[in-house]
Amino acid sequence: MKFSLKRSMIALMLTIGSTVQANTTITIASFPDLDRSAKVAIPLWKKKYPKIDIKVVSLSYADHHNAMTTALATGANLPDVMAVDMGFIGKFAESGGLEDLSKAPYNGLQLKDKLARFSIPLAMSGTGALSAMPTDIGPGALFYRKDLLDKAGVSEEDLTKSWESFIEVGKKIKASTGAYMLASANDIKDIYIRAGLQDGEGIYFDKTGKVLVNSPRFEKAFQLAKQARAAGIDSKVNAWSNEWSESFKRNKIAAQMMGAWLAGHLHNWLAPDQKGKWRSAVLPGGVYASWGGSFYAIPKKAKNKALAWEFIKLMTTDKEQQLSAFRTVDAFPALLEAQTDPFIDQPIDYLGGQKARRQWLETARRIPAVDVDKFDPVANEIVNTELEKVLEQGKDIKTALTDAKNLIERRVRR
Amino acid sequence: MTISSSTAVNFDPPVATMPRHRKLKLWDWAPYVFISPFFILFLIFGAFPLGFSIYLSFHQWDPAMGLEAMKWVGLENYIFVLGDDWFRQSLWNTIWIAIVSGAPQHLIAIPLAFFLNIAFGHWRNTVVGMYFLPFITSTVAIALVFNSLFSREFGVVNQLLTHLGHLPILEWVFPSTNIDWTKPEYVRWQIAFVVWWRYLGWNTVLYLAALQTIPRDLYEAALVDGATRWQQFWHVTVPLLKPMMFFAITLTLIGNLQLFEEPFILTGGTGGIGQVGKTAAMHMYNTAFVESDFGTASAVAWLLFLFIAVLTWLNNKLFNHSGLKDH
Amino acid sequence: MQHKLTVSSIAAYAVVLGGAVIMLLPFWFMFVFATRSDAEILSVPPPIWFGNALLANLNQLLERLPYFWHNLSMSFYVATATTLANLFFCSLAGYGFAMYDFKYKGTAFAIVLGTTLLPAFLSMIPSVLIFTLFDWMNQPRALIVPGMCAAFGVFMMRQYIATAIPKDLIEAARIDGCTEFGIFWRIIVPLVTPAFGTLGLVTFIGTWNNFMSPLVVMRDMEMFTVPLALRSLAGTGQVPYGAIAAGSAIAVLPLLVMFVLASKRLIEGMTAGAVKA
């Protein structure tokens, strides 16, 4: 196994070096909207490698990750390059089925300083292997309706200086405009549990796998969510539901915390008529967090590893490509070079001429390198279930968190 | 478990009257040939996955780590699942939804098929077709439409209900404020309704196909005896429908206890608040793909299999008990 | 049959037709959505009449899924082949179970039923291992061959044949010197057409809508079946509902045609005359 691997690596390096075989095709497995940025890259790729074709295979978000799980399990239908979303990076990084990109011939860690500081550690496995390269990041922002705030006589500063103040503003807005401050009280919890984290700390688990949900951080997060629910400032709808999109249209949502890419969605389809009324602000209470992000990895059993690496380098470290992905699919660049482009300082019409990209960039620089765990999705599901019980059935917060801790420990029992 | 033939075969083979030295008759081995394609395919494509999943259920395995990452844990997965509140709750949810959506399907489908069999003339197929449409509507469309109809603030269902709630007399029955359909007490009803809606037409088609085989002259004979329409239904139709009822109810039982798609789509994969809409199959899926624990998921599958097998067997017993004969 | 228009029968007609309209609604919406923009589809209450975004939706569909017509023909090929194979093999096996007594019949039938009780996605990974062994990955035969004789179909044909075919008919044929397969081919097959209609219909629809098997078997987008291709439009962020609705509407048309064909079979039902002959 190892021997043949080495041999094929050498053989491939040779082919890249001199005689490129005609009509080799490399396969990229991806999902929307990330697949569009890969398609955008094809002309650039063709300039460098005119004889090598790129085939992008795209599946729905969940289908893609399930298919990749099956492919890694069986070694069948593996692509040369595998896209991995932030939500799955913990799981795939630990799987051991992906190439360690920190080793030769890739030496991916040499590119570390070129990329957003917090993004590389996300793709590091517990054993220190670098299993994927970041291509885009999602700095978190608070989007709000300036016109509704004006109507209620409150300022952006009132909104962001503290969570307590955020809830107060919500009450005023609800009273004077009838709009809700939040789609779901869950959003507050999601952000607050990421507050005050240092580099290398995890959200739900520490490095040793100890469960952290029974902590003041979660307690406060639950309290804030409960206060928001009690104040009646959340409209109890889930993001991406049709009720959610309708709420935007009917001016029922005054603010939404999400990744910076939400601006594109608001502009394209959620609220195209509200052009100029929206603004972007930093998250309340000085939290810096990331919403999503995408990575590229090479399976250990892939056929064209050297070419796959060339493609990944194009996707992650080519300034031109990073910017065109930013323009076409709102994928915020992971590459620092791309972040210094004049494009960053262009005013955004939809946000009333605000130079919001600059603000998102500042946020991106301050996001801590949080440690992800394979079991984050499980912990997340359990915490959400317990929060529902607190909000809907009046369950005591301390009890709920103790239950959550026990449940998580039970479910990730090994 | 053995499923005794539900058809009492009184086939008295002529073999008995033949001299002893006659070679075996064709019809002694013909049935084995006839049923062999199923078993050949099953051996190639079914037996290995089955064995694999039994083997897997005694292991701990995250599939993304490749085949070599399996770790033997013995009965640990089974012990874990049996003591797991989530599994028990998902089983209870499954049973609840299975009954609430399943029983009305057949109670309505049988009389409906009976009526369609004698009414509507050559429009019959159009009407049957309308009832059948939910069965072929794509799940994406179903999810969009139902989420929209059941929307709390703007949904048509709530508008209708509150409208009725403002009328005198009816205000005792209908709510005056909007119902939040995502609340735990409603989620299961919503899923059950969608499942009922989706499979009613299918069952109607099954019963209609069976009704076609009932000779007209039986009804005519009943008419001559002065039987009412209702008596015809009760004494002619129902007994002759028994084999098809057994088939359709078994199918509903198996299908409903493995219910996955509808609750998964309607609750966005989570099962809703407090997981009240999470079925056993969904629990299995989440165990496999969210918790990436295929070993435990296989254990869940086999426990569910046992549970369904027992119920299917009971169902079979009940039908045999009620005298299931073909003619 | 003559029936008088009594109050009760008018009421029955009204209830049945009212029910039919409720059944029809989501289907109706699917076609309406195909002609509406994403924002319109997501509005609540949803639009109930056609809009003018059909062309835009189709353009978007074909732009995002350049192989959509390939996918349709792939679906068609897989569903048709699976259906024909099932009609033959399931009725053969169903006949074996319904009309013969043989050793281990109960056990054999229990196995048939038992195989329907295990969830499909558990066999995802082992199935892939088998297909890799046979070198069937990315081939339509991996979708067709394993499902050529579905347990459900065997069960259904057995119930139907037991109900509809009198034993003495077979006896008579045997005495006339028919071979066992001849009895099946010349006597049973013509008599079970209504069940063929039902079985054909459900097999075709089930295969057409299945996305689990194609998901693990197919790797190239031109080899995808329709449901997989349509699902692949949903990812992070904006879901092109209009394009998906247009695709779903196109994909459901063959099923409608299938239903019309099947219901013809359904009403050609066996008559008493055929049996008494």
Side-chain angles (χ1 to χ4, degrees), chain A residues 169-408:
Chain A
V169 168
K171 286 184 194 165
K172 284 181 188 155
I173 287 181
K174 185 83 176 53
S176 58
T177 68
Y180 296 102
M181 192 69 191
L182 288 151
S184 166
N186 210 348
D187 295 353
I188 296 190
K189 179 269 294 177
D190 274 340
I191 295 155
Y192 196 85
I193 59 174
R194 288 166 171 81
L197 290 176
Q198 302 302 313
D199 284 14
E201 285 186 336
I203 298 171
Y204 302 98
F205 303 91
D206 70 6
K207 276 260 188 284
T208 62
K210 187 167 152 271
V211 181
L212 304 173
V213 302
N214 210 353
S215 64
R217 181 160 50 99
F218 277 82
E219 211 172 306
K220 176 86 183 190
F222 271 46
Q223 279 163 1
L224 287 170
K226 195 174 172 174
Q227 281 168 25
R229 175 62 55 91
I233 62 166
D234 78 310
S235 73
K236 302 193 212 172
V237 300
N238 294 325
W240 311 108
S241 65
N242 37 10
E243 193 143 10
W244 185 64
S245 69
E246 184 70 8
S247 301
F248 281 110
K249 280 199 209 80
R250 300 200 188 194
N251 304 315
K252 284 276 185 190
I253 295 185
Q256 177 73 49
M257 296 179 271
M258 239 185 212
W261 36 257
L262 184 70
H265 292 298
L266 287 168
H267 176 218
N268 291 338
W269 61 288
L270 282 170
D273 302 342
Q274 293 162 13
K275 188 176 171 183
K277 294 179 178 172
W278 286 89
R279 295 288 182 279
S280 166
V282 291
L283 296 171
V287 183
Y288 298 98
S290 77
W291 248 274
S294 324
F295 299 81
Y296 285 112
I298 305 174
K300 272 188 178 148
K301 294 174 183 161
K303 289 192 185 68
N304 306 303
K305 288 182 193 167
L307 283 168
W309 177 243
E310 290 304 305
F311 181 81
I312 292 180
K313 274 201 301 199
L314 172 74
M315 295 308 285
T316 56
T317 59
D318 185 285
K319 184 177 168 183
E320 202 184 329
Q321 167 58 26
Q322 284 267 305
L323 282 168
S324 64
F326 198 9
R327 285 195 182 91
T328 47
V329 289
D330 290 307
F332 199 91
L335 183 73
L336 299 173
E337 251 176 277
Q339 297 177 359
T340 57
D341 193 86
F343 180 64
I344 292 284
D345 285 318
Q346 274 178 17
I348 300 175
D349 284 350
Y350 184 81
L351 300 174
Q354 190 186 6
K355 294 176 181 174
R357 293 188 191 102
R358 170 64 51 195
Q359 179 198 91
W360 301 333
L361 179 59
E362 293 305 320
T363 298
R365 287 190 180 144
R366 301 173 70 166
I367 295 173
V370 172
D371 184 45
V372 290
D373 190 280
K374 186 178 147 178
F375 291 111
D376 280 351
V378 186
N380 179 41
E381 189 190 357
I382 290 169
V383 167
N384 282 345
T385 304
E386 287 302 323
L387 180 60
E388 294 281 8
K389 286 181 182 161
V390 169
L391 297 179
E392 290 286 330
Q393 298 157 12
K395 189 171 179 178
D396 174 62
I397 291 180
K398 275 202 159 53
T399 320
L401 287 172
T402 311
D403 288 354
K405 175 173 176 283
N406 295 338
L407 261 173
I408 294 170

Side-chain angles (χ1 to χ4, degrees), chain A residues 27 31-33 55-61 63 67 70 73-74 76-78 240 242 245-246 249-250 265 269, chain C residues 39 42-45 64 124-125 128 132 137 215-217 219-221 224 228 231-238:
Chain A
T27 312
F31 54 88
D33 287 330
K55 192 166 78 179
V56 181
V57 175
S58 180
L59 281 162
S60 78
Y61 178 81
D63 286 349
T70 310
T74 58
N77 275 3
L78 275 167
W240 311 108
N242 37 10
S245 69
E246 184 70 8
K249 280 199 209 80
R250 300 200 188 194
H265 292 298
W269 61 288
Chain C
L42 284 173
S43 54
V44 189
R64 295 281 299 269
M124 259 167 78
I125 286 173
V128 170
T132 312
M137 287 302 269
L215 171 64
V216 292
V217 170
R219 172 180 160 159
D220 299 338
M221 297 203 65
F224 283 5
L228 195 58
R231 281 169 68 95
S232 77
L233 296 177
T236 49
Q238 187 185 359

Side-chain angles (χ1 to χ4, degrees), chain A residues 60-123:
Chain A
S60 78
Y61 178 81
D63 286 349
H64 164 77
H65 291 98
N66 287 351
M68 290 305 111
T69 302
T70 310
L72 286 170
T74 58
N77 275 3
L78 275 167
D80 297 303
V81 177
M82 181 186 287
V84 183
D85 182 73
M86 172 82 183
F88 287 84
I89 193 70
K91 177 180 162 178
F92 282 71
E94 295 300 331
S95 77
L98 301 172
E99 283 285 289
D100 181 356
L101 301 175
S102 67
K103 294 206 164 64
Y106 314 106
N107 303 321
L109 287 176
Q110 290 174 3
L111 304 169
K112 191 177 165 185
D113 297 335
K114 289 184 149 203
L115 297 162
R117 194 180 57 84
F118 71 91
S119 62
I120 286 266
L122 289 173

Side-chain angles (χ1 to χ4, degrees), chain B residues 22-314:
Chain B
R22 285 290 301 269
K23 62 174 193 292
L24 278 178
K25 273 284 171 212
L26 277 177
W27 55 80
D28 288 322
W29 58 262
Y32 293 107
V33 177
F34 291 171
I35 66 170
S36 64
F38 175 86
F39 287 92
I40 292 167
L41 285 171
F42 172 69
L43 279 177
I44 302 173
F45 298 104
F48 172 66
L50 230 59
F52 188 89
S53 69
I54 293 174
Y55 178 78
L56 201 54
S57 67
F58 299 108
H59 289 74
Q60 178 200 331
W61 187 46
D62 174 356
M65 295 189 171
L67 289 171
E68 51 280 356
M70 281 193 206
K71 226 173 72 192
W72 173 264
V73 292
L75 284 170
E76 197 189 305
N77 291 329
Y78 286 94
I79 293 163
F80 174 80
V81 173
L82 285 171
D84 184 13
D85 287 348
W86 283 17
F87 173 68
R88 281 193 290 238
Q89 198 199 335
S90 72
L91 206 56
W92 164 239
N93 295 337
T94 309
I95 296 167
W96 193 99
I97 294 169
I99 294 169
V100 173
S101 69
Q105 263 174 47
H106 295 272
L107 290 175
I108 293 172
I110 295 172
L112 182 65
F114 180 72
F115 183 71
L116 288 173
N117 196 31
I118 54 175
F120 288 108
H122 59 232
W123 286 100
R124 180 178 57 197
N125 268 355
T126 314
V127 179
V128 176
M130 283 164 86
Y131 273 93
F132 193 75
L133 282 182
F135 193 72
I136 60 173
T137 308
S138 85
T139 40
V140 178
I142 291 174
L144 274 174
V145 171
F146 279 98
N147 283 331
S148 186
L149 294 177
F150 284 107
S151 155
R152 186 187 76 238
E153 297 265 344
F154 329 104
V156 177
V157 176
N158 276 350
Q159 281 174 5
L160 202 71
L161 289 177
T162 48
H163 229 71
L164 292 169
H166 290 312
L167 298 170
I169 308 164
L170 289 176
E171 63 193 314
W172 299 100
V173 188
F174 291 103
S176 55
T177 52
N178 284 343
I179 292 178
D180 182 356
W181 293 99
T182 60
K183 271 201 184 309
E185 54 266 45
Y186 300 120
V187 170
R188 283 201 294 245
W189 284 104
Q190 199 187 334
I191 295 168
F193 174 77
V194 173
V195 173
W196 171 85
W197 167 85
R198 207 168 174 196
Y199 296 99
L200 175 70
W202 156 244
N203 282 305
T204 308
V205 166
L206 280 183
Y207 287 125
L208 199 59
L211 285 173
Q212 300 282 320
T213 68
I214 297 176
R216 277 281 150 96
D217 47 7
L218 284 179
Y219 288 116
E220 277 152 24
L223 266 177
V224 172
D225 293 343
T228 60
R229 180 61 51 83
W230 175 248
Q231 282 168 324
Q232 285 175 36
F233 173 72
W234 203 242
H235 295 289
V236 178
T237 314
V238 171
L240 288 172
L241 269 186
K242 279 251 167 84
M244 190 46 93
M245 275 190 204
F246 172 64
F247 171 71
I249 288 172
T250 306
L251 225 56
T252 302
L253 194 73
I254 294 172
N256 274 3
L257 292 173
Q258 292 183 1
L259 195 67
F260 176 77
E261 204 169 31
E262 292 83 0
F264 190 87
I265 287 175
L266 289 169
T267 64
T270 63
I273 298 168
Q275 304 187 347
V276 288
K278 186 171 165 186
T279 60
M282 271 171 81
H283 178 63
M284 194 182 336
Y285 180 89
N286 284 347
T287 307
F289 288 109
V290 179
E291 301 179 15
S292 38
D293 186 349
F294 264 62
T296 307
S298 300
V300 172
W302 281 99
L303 289 167
L304 185 64
F305 168 84
L306 281 177
F307 180 74
I308 302 175
V310 168
L311 286 183
T312 313
W313 178 78
L314 275 175

